[in-house]
Amino acid sequence: METKGLSPVVIGCSGGSGSRALRDILEASPQIFLDQQCSPNSKDSKASKSFLGLRDEPAEVRRPLIAAFMHFILAQIPPEEHTRYQYFGWKNPRNLHHVDLLLELHPRLRFLHLIRNPAAIAAGSLWQRGQKKVKQRGLLAPQQDPDTFLLSKWARFNLPIWQKYKDHPRYRLVRYEDLLTNGEAAVHEIFAWLGVAQYDVQQALSVLTPSHDALTRGSDIDLSGIAEAVTSLGYRVA
């Protein structure tokens, strides 16, 4: 797939992981162009919906839609500015469902898989909305509560991808907590992995404005049902 010499960089995660902050960190580099046709709050790319909801469709159906979306982003860059950029990309949590095809589609695509402690996600407002959705859609098994369903979903989506791609050179796992506790080092590591030399560290760090309980909330939530995923991905079971 020809992308005018630019390489794609894509962010995917479970909802509520802090992907807007990671996107804003990438924007600290003048060598990375990110889709500007996005939601003003979440910064999720709007046009990516053309394929994101088709995760159960065969690759033959999704491949041309993803290629068209990539060209849609490239078309946003003025021709005279193409040589300024090294990467172009976008973020949407649901990219996680298409990582196989994304990595296969472009030989230089880089995938940033962001994770966050599922206990902290479960204590957030987005989780509460997720509970309502699974109830309304009748997704729960008999006697199953929404928290158990959503925690299992977190484990089911994140662990297999990490297990499959942890040694892949174009895949990188990023922990949201590392951005908060060791931000400068984490920022340098991300840009070094991308091979990007120009970036403003202070601009990148300025986007990390977590709530006071970002690292402690959800500490009372039982994660024993997904212990393998939790510990494998670097977290503790309370």
Side-chain angles (χ1 to χ4, degrees), residues 58-129:
E60 292 73 21
V61 173
R62 293 177 290 143
R63 188 177 289 111
L65 296 174
I66 297 173
F69 173 65
M70 288 188 184
H71 286 119
F72 166 77
I73 299 177
L74 288 170
Q76 297 175 34
I77 306 174
E80 65 274 13
E81 293 187 14
H82 271 120
T83 56
R84 165 186 164 185
Y85 295 106
Q86 184 176 343
Y87 284 93
F88 72 99
W90 74 96
K91 85 96 170 169
N92 192 298
R94 289 186 292 165
N95 287 324
L96 201 61
H97 305 314
H98 303 271
V99 59
D100 293 358
L101 184 54
L102 287 165
L103 287 169
E104 176 249 298
L105 186 61
H106 196 290
R108 298 190 309 276
L109 183 142
R110 298 295 182 102
F111 194 95
L112 286 162
H113 177 187
L114 180 67
I115 61 170
R116 185 175 186 178
N117 190 325
I121 298 176
S125 59
L126 189 62
W127 193 269
Q128 294 173 3
R129 293 199 292 272

Side-chain angles (χ1 to χ4, degrees), residues 127-137 146 150:
W127 193 269
Q128 294 173 3
R129 293 199 292 272
Q131 290 178 327
K132 293 180 180 178
K133 287 182 180 179
V134 297
K135 289 178 180 177
Q136 293 169 350
R137 296 175 182 175
L150 291 168

Side-chain angles (χ1 to χ4, degrees), residues 6-7 9 23 26-27 29-36 72-78 81 85-90:
L6 278 67
S7 302
V9 57
R23 182 193 188 279
L26 294 185
E27 283 202 312
S29 171
Q31 294 177 284
I32 300 177
F33 179 89
L34 294 172
D35 180 20
Q36 298 299 298
F72 166 77
I73 299 177
L74 288 170
Q76 297 175 34
I77 306 174
E81 293 187 14
Y85 295 106
Q86 184 176 343
Y87 284 93
F88 72 99
W90 74 96

Side-chain angles (χ1 to χ4, degrees), residues 8 10 98-113 160-174 193-194:
V10 181
H98 303 271
V99 59
D100 293 358
L101 184 54
L102 287 165
L103 287 169
E104 176 249 298
L105 186 61
H106 196 290
R108 298 190 309 276
L109 183 142
R110 298 295 182 102
F111 194 95
L112 286 162
H113 177 187
I161 289 173
W162 174 75
Q163 289 174 326
K164 182 175 182 178
Y165 290 108
K166 59 184 177 180
D167 296 321
H168 194 292
R170 292 187 287 115
Y171 165 92
R172 185 176 183 87
L173 186 75
V174 178
W193 175 72
L194 290 171

